[in-house]
Amino acid sequence: MEETYLLNVEGVKKKILHGGRGELPKLHDGSKFTFHFQTLKDDFERTVIDDSREAGVPMEIIVGKMFKLEIWETLLSSMRIGEVAEFWCDAIHTGMYALVSRGMRRIAEGRDPLEGQKHRCGMGNMFDYHSTGYDDLDELQRTPQPLIFIMELFRVEEPSAYKRDTWAMSKEEKMAAVPVLHSEGNRLVLRREFAKAAAKYQEAVICLRNLQAKEKPWEDDWLKLERLVTPLVLNYCQCQLELGEYYEVLEHTTELLQKHKDNAKAYFKRAKAHAAVWNEREAREDFQRVAHLDPSMAAAVKKELKQLGERMRKKHVEDRKRYQGLFQSSQG
């Protein structure tokens, strides 16, 4: 198993270090590789650049999703499950490695991998970076060179066999996921599992926002998606009210009302959040807007205003007693 042989790709050599099992996996668009890797320089010391085992988390690649280092998909496609192989890759395949490594290192450090990156293709970004923030990667970026990749393939999963991250879904998959997530969120609300329900609503919103980003704001397709987003955001806010995350509700309802100034439900949820954090004036203003926009909610508004008034009176009494106590103790 020590012989070196060429893959059917220019500028690549492969050496099997440990044989795998079974046949070569059948791959489809959306299949997921899970593997560990080590990247070395092709120098006398075989200097290690990156090692996924040090980060403690295996690497994952989705087939057909334009991973910046396209050659990795080719390398992994030649491997069986459990196989360990060493690949020598010429500089024609490794020019993007510095950017890939930079992103992986940022993730391992708990930072945003796209921090400071402009929304352009990978090759375009090469010209935006004066420095990757890592000296060894800056060297690779200045002078692309052959690299050695040692890979151990753990598993290959079909698209239907794993929960796909939102970014890895096609447009059709995202649209199909939204009603499912909405329904799951509603079911969890009925069971009063508000944190889990909020996560479902949030995931559905992310799917729709990703699709919206490809449309022109306020045109028909964008508006159709926005109409789906709004009830999901409101459901998410209701869960956050139940969980006591009032400032989260204030943030999301305010953002929603900047686009939809006549949404009575958004004003109602924001009013309840204001009331919960003792913003009496803001709460009263929002409740009054609700009654004006939707007279059918007038009874609910009246009840909330009554409760707000009682809470504020109680708070004023308690505050007065506390201040009197402080004053008396300072006099004594």
Side-chain angles (χ1 to χ4, degrees):
M1 292 300 230
E2 286 292 323
E3 83 225 41
T4 299
Y5 65 93
L6 297 173
L7 289 176
N8 190 25
V9 180
E10 182 185 356
V12 176
K13 297 177 186 176
K14 176 181 178 181
K15 181 192 293 183
I16 295 176
L17 305 180
H18 183 278
R21 57 186 180 276
E23 300 297 318
L24 286 174
K26 290 188 173 73
L27 300 175
H28 305 284
D29 194 45
S31 295
K32 181 167 76 172
F33 292 111
T34 303
F35 61 100
H36 266 309
F37 75 94
Q38 194 177 45
T39 304
L40 305 91
K41 285 187 177 181
D42 184 23
D43 56 14
F44 181 76
E45 296 85 5
R46 286 169 62 96
T47 306
V48 176
I49 300 171
D50 289 304
D51 188 338
S52 64
R53 281 187 176 77
E54 286 188 4
V57 181
M59 182 74 181
E60 295 178 347
I61 287 181
I62 309 293
V63 174
K65 292 300 173 186
M66 301 293 288
F67 183 63
K68 283 192 181 82
L69 204 65
E70 292 178 21
I71 193 63
W72 274 18
E73 192 174 306
T74 303
L75 305 183
L76 291 161
S77 299
S78 77
M79 299 178 69
R80 291 172 169 78
I81 305 299
E83 180 178 322
V84 182
E86 177 178 309
F87 300 92
W88 177 91
C89 294
D90 198 0
I92 58 171
H93 299 297
T94 63
M96 297 298 292
Y97 184 77
L99 292 187
V100 172
S101 176
R102 175 183 186 267
M104 291 186 293
R105 291 183 187 187
R106 282 179 173 272
I107 290 169
E109 293 163 6
R111 298 162 67 192
D112 180 358
L114 300 178
E115 184 182 307
Q117 183 170 319
K118 295 182 182 177
H119 293 288
R120 291 167 56 186
C121 68
M123 201 45 92
N125 279 312
M126 285 286 283
F127 301 105
D128 291 329
Y129 295 135
H130 301 293
S131 170
T132 62
Y134 305 94
D135 291 342
D136 58 338
L137 299 183
D138 287 346
E139 180 197 344
L140 290 180
Q141 190 165 263
R142 281 192 300 270
T143 54
Q145 55 195 267
L147 295 173
I148 296 164
F149 303 112
I150 300 175
M151 294 177 159
E152 179 179 1
L153 181 61
F154 296 131
R155 59 182 173 271
V156 178
E157 296 168 273
E158 291 298 299
S160 60
Y162 65 94
K163 182 180 179 296
R164 302 182 70 182
D165 292 326
T166 302
W167 66 266
M169 292 181 181
S170 66
K171 178 179 179 180
E172 293 74 20
E173 287 169 333
K174 285 173 186 168
M175 284 304 297
V178 168
V180 175
L181 291 164
H182 197 159
S183 177
E184 288 176 354
N186 292 349
R187 179 176 54 80
L188 289 162
V189 166
L190 291 173
R191 289 161 52 180
R192 301 192 64 79
E193 295 183 42
F194 296 113
K196 290 181 180 178
K200 296 293 182 183
Y201 295 136
Q202 186 177 44
E203 192 175 345
V205 169
I206 289 168
C207 284
L208 293 168
R209 290 295 190 212
N210 285 348
L211 293 172
Q212 257 191 330
K214 297 177 174 62
E215 306 294 343
K216 213 171 209 180
W218 303 105
E219 294 202 349
D220 285 348
D221 289 341
W222 187 94
L223 286 168
K224 284 177 187 173
L225 293 167
E226 186 67 19
R227 281 192 284 273
L228 295 174
V229 166
T230 300
L232 288 162
V233 172
L234 291 172
N235 287 359
Y236 174 82
C237 287
Q238 183 59 42
C239 290
Q240 297 304 324
L241 280 173
E242 298 285 354
L243 294 166
E245 298 291 344
Y246 303 119
Y247 290 102
E248 180 94 351
V249 176
L250 292 174
E251 178 186 343
H252 289 287
T253 50
T254 299
E255 185 182 333
L256 195 63
L257 287 164
Q258 286 169 354
K259 296 177 187 172
H260 311 287
K261 293 182 169 51
D262 58 351
N263 192 303
K265 289 181 180 178
Y267 278 118
F268 190 77
K269 295 185 195 306
R270 189 171 76 171
K272 284 177 72 71
H274 274 309
V277 296
W278 308 105
N279 296 338
E280 183 181 11
R281 180 179 59 80
E282 292 88 345
R284 289 188 180 280
E285 286 176 359
D286 279 353
F287 279 132
Q288 286 162 6
R289 286 194 188 101
V290 173
H292 174 72
L293 289 167
D294 188 351
S296 71
M297 297 180 73
V301 167
K302 186 177 179 181
K303 180 182 174 184
E304 291 289 341
L305 285 171
K306 183 181 178 184
Q307 289 178 350
L308 175 62
E310 290 170 354
R311 287 182 69 237
M312 295 308 300
R313 278 192 292 276
K314 187 177 178 183
K315 183 176 186 292
H316 293 324
V317 169
E318 290 174 352
D319 288 348
R320 197 158 53 243
K321 284 180 180 176
R322 186 163 59 251
Y323 294 142
Q324 284 174 349
L326 288 171
F327 179 74
Q328 288 168 356
S329 63
S330 65
Q331 289 292 310

mmCIF file of all heavy atoms in Angstrom, residues 56-92:
data_model
loop_
_atom_site.group_PDB
_atom_site.id
_atom_site.type_symbol
_atom_site.label_atom_id
_atom_site.label_comp_id
_atom_site.label_asym_id
_atom_site.label_seq_id
_atom_site.Cartn_x
_atom_site.Cartn_y
_atom_site.Cartn_z
ATOM 1 N N GLY A 56 -9.449 19.605 17.243
ATOM 2 C CA GLY A 56 -10.343 18.660 17.907
ATOM 3 C C GLY A 56 -11.660 18.425 17.198
ATOM 4 O O GLY A 56 -12.517 17.694 17.691
ATOM 5 N N VAL A 57 -11.837 19.029 16.022
ATOM 6 C CA VAL A 57 -13.102 18.890 15.287
ATOM 7 C C VAL A 57 -12.796 18.463 13.857
ATOM 8 O O VAL A 57 -11.992 19.109 13.177
ATOM 9 C CB VAL A 57 -13.875 20.229 15.258
ATOM 10 C CG1 VAL A 57 -15.192 20.069 14.505
ATOM 11 C CG2 VAL A 57 -14.132 20.726 16.674
ATOM 12 N N PRO A 58 -13.423 17.373 13.370
ATOM 13 C CA PRO A 58 -13.189 16.965 11.981
ATOM 14 C C PRO A 58 -13.702 18.020 11.002
ATOM 15 O O PRO A 58 -14.584 18.818 11.320
ATOM 16 C CB PRO A 58 -13.995 15.658 11.833
ATOM 17 C CG PRO A 58 -14.303 15.218 13.221
ATOM 18 C CD PRO A 58 -14.339 16.455 14.055
ATOM 19 N N MET A 59 -13.165 17.986 9.810
ATOM 20 C CA MET A 59 -13.563 18.894 8.740
ATOM 21 C C MET A 59 -14.753 18.286 7.994
ATOM 22 O O MET A 59 -14.892 17.069 7.912
ATOM 23 C CB MET A 59 -12.376 19.079 7.786
ATOM 24 C CG MET A 59 -12.620 20.037 6.652
ATOM 25 S SD MET A 59 -12.619 21.738 7.232
ATOM 26 C CE MET A 59 -12.945 22.595 5.692
ATOM 27 N N GLU A 60 -15.620 19.154 7.471
ATOM 28 C CA GLU A 60 -16.755 18.700 6.657
ATOM 29 C C GLU A 60 -16.785 19.481 5.355
ATOM 30 O O GLU A 60 -16.537 20.693 5.351
ATOM 31 C CB GLU A 60 -18.080 18.896 7.403
ATOM 32 C CG GLU A 60 -18.209 18.040 8.650
ATOM 33 C CD GLU A 60 -19.509 18.292 9.409
ATOM 34 O OE1 GLU A 60 -20.180 19.304 9.094
ATOM 35 O OE2 GLU A 60 -19.833 17.486 10.294
ATOM 36 N N ILE A 61 -17.092 18.788 4.257
ATOM 37 C CA ILE A 61 -17.241 19.430 2.947
ATOM 38 C C ILE A 61 -18.512 18.900 2.306
ATOM 39 O O ILE A 61 -18.777 17.694 2.340
ATOM 40 C CB ILE A 61 -16.036 19.132 2.027
ATOM 41 C CG1 ILE A 61 -14.801 19.899 2.474
ATOM 42 C CG2 ILE A 61 -16.353 19.484 0.583
ATOM 43 C CD1 ILE A 61 -13.596 19.659 1.593
ATOM 44 N N ILE A 62 -19.287 19.788 1.719
ATOM 45 C CA ILE A 62 -20.490 19.401 0.990
ATOM 46 C C ILE A 62 -20.156 19.361 -0.499
ATOM 47 O O ILE A 62 -19.647 20.344 -1.052
ATOM 48 C CB ILE A 62 -21.642 20.403 1.216
ATOM 49 C CG1 ILE A 62 -21.865 20.647 2.712
ATOM 50 C CG2 ILE A 62 -22.914 19.924 0.540
ATOM 51 C CD1 ILE A 62 -22.375 19.476 3.477
ATOM 52 N N VAL A 63 -20.426 18.238 -1.157
ATOM 53 C CA VAL A 63 -20.129 18.072 -2.582
ATOM 54 C C VAL A 63 -20.954 19.061 -3.402
ATOM 55 O O VAL A 63 -22.158 19.218 -3.193
ATOM 56 C CB VAL A 63 -20.437 16.635 -3.044
ATOM 57 C CG1 VAL A 63 -20.266 16.504 -4.557
ATOM 58 C CG2 VAL A 63 -19.536 15.646 -2.323
ATOM 59 N N GLY A 64 -20.276 19.753 -4.333
ATOM 60 C CA GLY A 64 -20.967 20.639 -5.260
ATOM 61 C C GLY A 64 -21.297 22.003 -4.709
ATOM 62 O O GLY A 64 -22.072 22.743 -5.326
ATOM 63 N N LYS A 65 -20.739 22.377 -3.541
ATOM 64 C CA LYS A 65 -21.082 23.671 -2.936
ATOM 65 C C LYS A 65 -19.951 24.686 -3.038
ATOM 66 O O LYS A 65 -19.803 25.562 -2.200
ATOM 67 C CB LYS A 65 -21.499 23.476 -1.469
ATOM 68 C CG LYS A 65 -22.811 22.726 -1.314
ATOM 69 C CD LYS A 65 -23.957 23.454 -1.991
ATOM 70 C CE LYS A 65 -25.227 22.623 -1.979
ATOM 71 N NZ LYS A 65 -26.313 23.250 -2.739
ATOM 72 N N MET A 66 -19.135 24.547 -4.074
ATOM 73 C CA MET A 66 -18.121 25.550 -4.398
ATOM 74 C C MET A 66 -17.153 25.814 -3.250
ATOM 75 O O MET A 66 -16.839 26.947 -2.916
ATOM 76 C CB MET A 66 -18.800 26.872 -4.807
ATOM 77 C CG MET A 66 -19.728 26.757 -5.998
ATOM 78 S SD MET A 66 -18.869 26.373 -7.537
ATOM 79 C CE MET A 66 -18.065 27.932 -7.858
ATOM 80 N N PHE A 67 -16.686 24.753 -2.602
ATOM 81 C CA PHE A 67 -15.643 24.916 -1.592
ATOM 82 C C PHE A 67 -14.434 25.531 -2.275
ATOM 83 O O PHE A 67 -14.043 25.118 -3.378
ATOM 84 C CB PHE A 67 -15.303 23.552 -0.987
ATOM 85 C CG PHE A 67 -14.285 23.615 0.112
ATOM 86 C CD1 PHE A 67 -14.550 24.291 1.286
ATOM 87 C CD2 PHE A 67 -13.051 22.994 -0.030
ATOM 88 C CE1 PHE A 67 -13.619 24.349 2.311
ATOM 89 C CE2 PHE A 67 -12.107 23.048 0.990
ATOM 90 C CZ PHE A 67 -12.395 23.727 2.154
ATOM 91 N N LYS A 68 -13.830 26.543 -1.641
ATOM 92 C CA LYS A 68 -12.765 27.308 -2.302
ATOM 93 C C LYS A 68 -11.633 26.430 -2.824
ATOM 94 O O LYS A 68 -11.045 26.695 -3.857
ATOM 95 C CB LYS A 68 -12.194 28.348 -1.331
ATOM 96 C CG LYS A 68 -13.061 29.572 -1.129
ATOM 97 C CD LYS A 68 -12.265 30.635 -0.387
ATOM 98 C CE LYS A 68 -13.085 31.882 -0.135
ATOM 99 N NZ LYS A 68 -13.960 31.779 1.030
ATOM 100 N N LEU A 69 -11.291 25.373 -2.083
ATOM 101 C CA LEU A 69 -10.186 24.502 -2.487
ATOM 102 C C LEU A 69 -10.782 23.279 -3.190
ATOM 103 O O LEU A 69 -10.941 22.221 -2.599
ATOM 104 C CB LEU A 69 -9.381 24.098 -1.245
ATOM 105 C CG LEU A 69 -7.931 23.685 -1.488
ATOM 106 C CD1 LEU A 69 -7.114 24.863 -2.014
ATOM 107 C CD2 LEU A 69 -7.316 23.171 -0.203
ATOM 108 N N GLU A 70 -11.137 23.469 -4.453
ATOM 109 C CA GLU A 70 -11.889 22.452 -5.184
ATOM 110 C C GLU A 70 -11.165 21.109 -5.242
ATOM 111 O O GLU A 70 -11.802 20.054 -5.304
ATOM 112 C CB GLU A 70 -12.190 22.947 -6.600
ATOM 113 C CG GLU A 70 -13.170 24.111 -6.630
ATOM 114 C CD GLU A 70 -13.413 24.621 -8.037
ATOM 115 O OE1 GLU A 70 -13.160 23.859 -8.987
ATOM 116 O OE2 GLU A 70 -13.839 25.776 -8.176
ATOM 117 N N ILE A 71 -9.848 21.127 -5.212
ATOM 118 C CA ILE A 71 -9.095 19.883 -5.342
ATOM 119 C C ILE A 71 -9.404 18.924 -4.200
ATOM 120 O O ILE A 71 -9.336 17.706 -4.360
ATOM 121 C CB ILE A 71 -7.560 20.171 -5.429
ATOM 122 C CG1 ILE A 71 -6.797 18.919 -5.879
ATOM 123 C CG2 ILE A 71 -7.032 20.685 -4.092
ATOM 124 C CD1 ILE A 71 -7.150 18.447 -7.260
ATOM 125 N N TRP A 72 -9.777 19.444 -3.032
ATOM 126 C CA TRP A 72 -10.083 18.554 -1.899
ATOM 127 C C TRP A 72 -11.245 17.619 -2.218
ATOM 128 O O TRP A 72 -11.248 16.466 -1.820
ATOM 129 C CB TRP A 72 -10.378 19.380 -0.642
ATOM 130 C CG TRP A 72 -9.126 19.731 0.120
ATOM 131 C CD1 TRP A 72 -7.853 19.695 -0.344
ATOM 132 C CD2 TRP A 72 -9.060 20.172 1.481
ATOM 133 N NE1 TRP A 72 -6.981 20.093 0.639
ATOM 134 C CE2 TRP A 72 -7.695 20.391 1.771
ATOM 135 C CE3 TRP A 72 -9.989 20.408 2.454
ATOM 136 C CZ2 TRP A 72 -7.245 20.831 3.016
ATOM 137 C CZ3 TRP A 72 -9.557 20.850 3.707
ATOM 138 C CH2 TRP A 72 -8.208 21.055 3.981
ATOM 139 N N GLU A 73 -12.242 18.136 -2.910
ATOM 140 C CA GLU A 73 -13.380 17.286 -3.290
ATOM 141 C C GLU A 73 -12.896 16.139 -4.176
ATOM 142 O O GLU A 73 -13.331 14.998 -4.025
ATOM 143 C CB GLU A 73 -14.418 18.140 -4.024
ATOM 144 C CG GLU A 73 -15.748 17.445 -4.211
ATOM 145 C CD GLU A 73 -16.792 18.371 -4.813
ATOM 146 O OE1 GLU A 73 -17.011 19.460 -4.262
ATOM 147 O OE2 GLU A 73 -17.384 17.984 -5.845
ATOM 148 N N THR A 74 -11.979 16.443 -5.077
ATOM 149 C CA THR A 74 -11.420 15.413 -5.961
ATOM 150 C C THR A 74 -10.628 14.381 -5.167
ATOM 151 O O THR A 74 -10.760 13.173 -5.382
ATOM 152 C CB THR A 74 -10.501 16.071 -7.014
ATOM 153 O OG1 THR A 74 -11.255 17.049 -7.735
ATOM 154 C CG2 THR A 74 -9.929 15.042 -7.973
ATOM 155 N N LEU A 75 -9.802 14.854 -4.234
ATOM 156 C CA LEU A 75 -8.985 13.944 -3.426
ATOM 157 C C LEU A 75 -9.867 13.001 -2.611
ATOM 158 O O LEU A 75 -9.667 11.783 -2.596
ATOM 159 C CB LEU A 75 -8.077 14.736 -2.480
ATOM 160 C CG LEU A 75 -7.161 15.796 -3.103
ATOM 161 C CD1 LEU A 75 -6.287 16.432 -2.033
ATOM 162 C CD2 LEU A 75 -6.313 15.221 -4.233
ATOM 163 N N LEU A 76 -10.849 13.556 -1.928
ATOM 164 C CA LEU A 76 -11.727 12.754 -1.070
ATOM 165 C C LEU A 76 -12.558 11.767 -1.883
ATOM 166 O O LEU A 76 -12.875 10.668 -1.407
ATOM 167 C CB LEU A 76 -12.634 13.676 -0.255
ATOM 168 C CG LEU A 76 -11.907 14.493 0.819
ATOM 169 C CD1 LEU A 76 -12.747 15.696 1.241
ATOM 170 C CD2 LEU A 76 -11.570 13.630 2.036
ATOM 171 N N SER A 77 -12.893 12.139 -3.108
ATOM 172 C CA SER A 77 -13.688 11.251 -3.971
ATOM 173 C C SER A 77 -12.925 9.988 -4.345
ATOM 174 O O SER A 77 -13.523 8.993 -4.757
ATOM 175 C CB SER A 77 -14.102 11.991 -5.251
ATOM 176 O OG SER A 77 -14.893 13.109 -4.942
ATOM 177 N N SER A 78 -11.602 10.019 -4.178
ATOM 178 C CA SER A 78 -10.784 8.847 -4.523
ATOM 179 C C SER A 78 -10.587 7.910 -3.332
ATOM 180 O O SER A 78 -9.888 6.905 -3.447
ATOM 181 C CB SER A 78 -9.415 9.313 -5.026
ATOM 182 O OG SER A 78 -8.587 9.721 -3.940
ATOM 183 N N MET A 79 -11.182 8.240 -2.178
ATOM 184 C CA MET A 79 -10.904 7.495 -0.951
ATOM 185 C C MET A 79 -12.076 6.621 -0.524
ATOM 186 O O MET A 79 -13.246 6.929 -0.791
ATOM 187 C CB MET A 79 -10.565 8.477 0.188
ATOM 188 C CG MET A 79 -9.342 9.330 -0.062
ATOM 189 S SD MET A 79 -9.013 10.525 1.276
ATOM 190 C CE MET A 79 -8.530 9.427 2.618
ATOM 191 N N ARG A 80 -11.741 5.526 0.170
ATOM 192 C CA ARG A 80 -12.750 4.667 0.784
ATOM 193 C C ARG A 80 -12.893 5.028 2.264
ATOM 194 O O ARG A 80 -11.993 5.643 2.841
ATOM 195 C CB ARG A 80 -12.344 3.193 0.642
ATOM 196 C CG ARG A 80 -12.394 2.683 -0.799
ATOM 197 C CD ARG A 80 -11.799 1.295 -0.944
ATOM 198 N NE ARG A 80 -12.097 0.726 -2.250
ATOM 199 C CZ ARG A 80 -11.468 1.038 -3.377
ATOM 200 N NH1 ARG A 80 -10.471 1.927 -3.344
ATOM 201 N NH2 ARG A 80 -11.811 0.471 -4.518
ATOM 202 N N ILE A 81 -13.994 4.639 2.869
ATOM 203 C CA ILE A 81 -14.219 4.925 4.288
ATOM 204 C C ILE A 81 -13.115 4.270 5.121
ATOM 205 O O ILE A 81 -12.796 3.099 4.933
ATOM 206 C CB ILE A 81 -15.591 4.392 4.751
ATOM 207 C CG1 ILE A 81 -16.717 4.942 3.866
ATOM 208 C CG2 ILE A 81 -15.830 4.745 6.222
ATOM 209 C CD1 ILE A 81 -16.846 6.437 3.867
ATOM 210 N N GLY A 82 -12.530 5.037 6.048
ATOM 211 C CA GLY A 82 -11.467 4.523 6.898
ATOM 212 C C GLY A 82 -10.078 4.641 6.294
ATOM 213 O O GLY A 82 -9.080 4.358 6.962
ATOM 214 N N GLU A 83 -9.991 5.054 5.065
ATOM 215 C CA GLU A 83 -8.696 5.168 4.387
ATOM 216 C C GLU A 83 -7.927 6.384 4.886
ATOM 217 O O GLU A 83 -8.503 7.427 5.208
ATOM 218 C CB GLU A 83 -8.929 5.286 2.874
ATOM 219 C CG GLU A 83 -7.650 5.403 2.054
ATOM 220 C CD GLU A 83 -7.945 5.465 0.550
ATOM 221 O OE1 GLU A 83 -8.879 4.763 0.079
ATOM 222 O OE2 GLU A 83 -7.232 6.220 -0.142
ATOM 223 N N VAL A 84 -6.604 6.215 4.970
ATOM 224 C CA VAL A 84 -5.698 7.337 5.231
ATOM 225 C C VAL A 84 -4.793 7.459 4.018
ATOM 226 O O VAL A 84 -4.173 6.463 3.608
ATOM 227 C CB VAL A 84 -4.855 7.123 6.500
ATOM 228 C CG1 VAL A 84 -3.958 8.342 6.748
ATOM 229 C CG2 VAL A 84 -5.748 6.857 7.710
ATOM 230 N N ALA A 85 -4.728 8.636 3.434
ATOM 231 C CA ALA A 85 -3.927 8.811 2.217
ATOM 232 C C ALA A 85 -3.173 10.128 2.262
ATOM 233 O O ALA A 85 -3.608 11.092 2.894
ATOM 234 C CB ALA A 85 -4.821 8.746 0.982
ATOM 235 N N GLU A 86 -2.034 10.117 1.567
ATOM 236 C CA GLU A 86 -1.220 11.325 1.448
ATOM 237 C C GLU A 86 -1.282 11.797 0.005
ATOM 238 O O GLU A 86 -1.085 11.011 -0.925
ATOM 239 C CB GLU A 86 0.225 11.024 1.852
ATOM 240 C CG GLU A 86 1.162 12.209 1.685
ATOM 241 C CD GLU A 86 2.584 11.885 2.153
ATOM 242 O OE1 GLU A 86 2.718 11.376 3.291
ATOM 243 O OE2 GLU A 86 3.539 12.115 1.384
ATOM 244 N N PHE A 87 -1.561 13.075 -0.180
ATOM 245 C CA PHE A 87 -1.663 13.642 -1.522
ATOM 246 C C PHE A 87 -0.643 14.760 -1.676
ATOM 247 O O PHE A 87 -0.577 15.664 -0.845
ATOM 248 C CB PHE A 87 -3.056 14.224 -1.769
ATOM 249 C CG PHE A 87 -4.178 13.224 -1.662
ATOM 250 C CD1 PHE A 87 -4.830 13.025 -0.449
ATOM 251 C CD2 PHE A 87 -4.582 12.488 -2.761
ATOM 252 C CE1 PHE A 87 -5.866 12.119 -0.345
ATOM 253 C CE2 PHE A 87 -5.624 11.571 -2.671
ATOM 254 C CZ PHE A 87 -6.272 11.385 -1.452
ATOM 255 N N TRP A 88 0.128 14.684 -2.754
ATOM 256 C CA TRP A 88 0.997 15.788 -3.132
ATOM 257 C C TRP A 88 0.272 16.574 -4.208
ATOM 258 O O TRP A 88 -0.173 16.000 -5.217
ATOM 259 C CB TRP A 88 2.326 15.271 -3.666
ATOM 260 C CG TRP A 88 3.267 16.362 -4.141
ATOM 261 C CD1 TRP A 88 4.209 16.998 -3.402
ATOM 262 C CD2 TRP A 88 3.329 16.931 -5.462
ATOM 263 N NE1 TRP A 88 4.860 17.943 -4.173
ATOM 264 C CE2 TRP A 88 4.336 17.922 -5.445
ATOM 265 C CE3 TRP A 88 2.627 16.706 -6.647
ATOM 266 C CZ2 TRP A 88 4.656 18.675 -6.568
ATOM 267 C CZ3 TRP A 88 2.939 17.466 -7.767
ATOM 268 C CH2 TRP A 88 3.952 18.436 -7.730
ATOM 269 N N CYS A 89 0.113 17.875 -3.996
ATOM 270 C CA CYS A 89 -0.611 18.703 -4.955
ATOM 271 C C CYS A 89 0.266 19.861 -5.414
ATOM 272 O O CYS A 89 0.815 20.601 -4.590
ATOM 273 C CB CYS A 89 -1.896 19.256 -4.341
ATOM 274 S SG CYS A 89 -3.118 17.994 -3.945
ATOM 275 N N ASP A 90 0.365 20.012 -6.714
ATOM 276 C CA ASP A 90 1.150 21.083 -7.300
ATOM 277 C C ASP A 90 0.526 22.445 -6.974
ATOM 278 O O ASP A 90 -0.655 22.538 -6.592
ATOM 279 C CB ASP A 90 1.218 20.890 -8.821
ATOM 280 C CG ASP A 90 2.343 21.694 -9.452
ATOM 281 O OD1 ASP A 90 3.060 22.390 -8.704
ATOM 282 O OD2 ASP A 90 2.498 21.648 -10.684
ATOM 283 N N ALA A 91 1.290 23.512 -7.151
ATOM 284 C CA ALA A 91 0.846 24.864 -6.815
ATOM 285 C C ALA A 91 -0.386 25.289 -7.605
ATOM 286 O O ALA A 91 -1.131 26.170 -7.156
ATOM 287 C CB ALA A 91 1.979 25.857 -7.041
ATOM 288 N N ILE A 92 -0.642 24.669 -8.761
ATOM 289 C CA ILE A 92 -1.833 25.039 -9.546
ATOM 290 C C ILE A 92 -3.118 24.726 -8.781
ATOM 291 O O ILE A 92 -4.175 25.282 -9.076
ATOM 292 C CB ILE A 92 -1.866 24.323 -10.923
ATOM 293 C CG1 ILE A 92 -1.844 22.796 -10.737
ATOM 294 C CG2 ILE A 92 -0.747 24.797 -11.803
ATOM 295 C CD1 ILE A 92 -2.092 22.023 -12.025
#
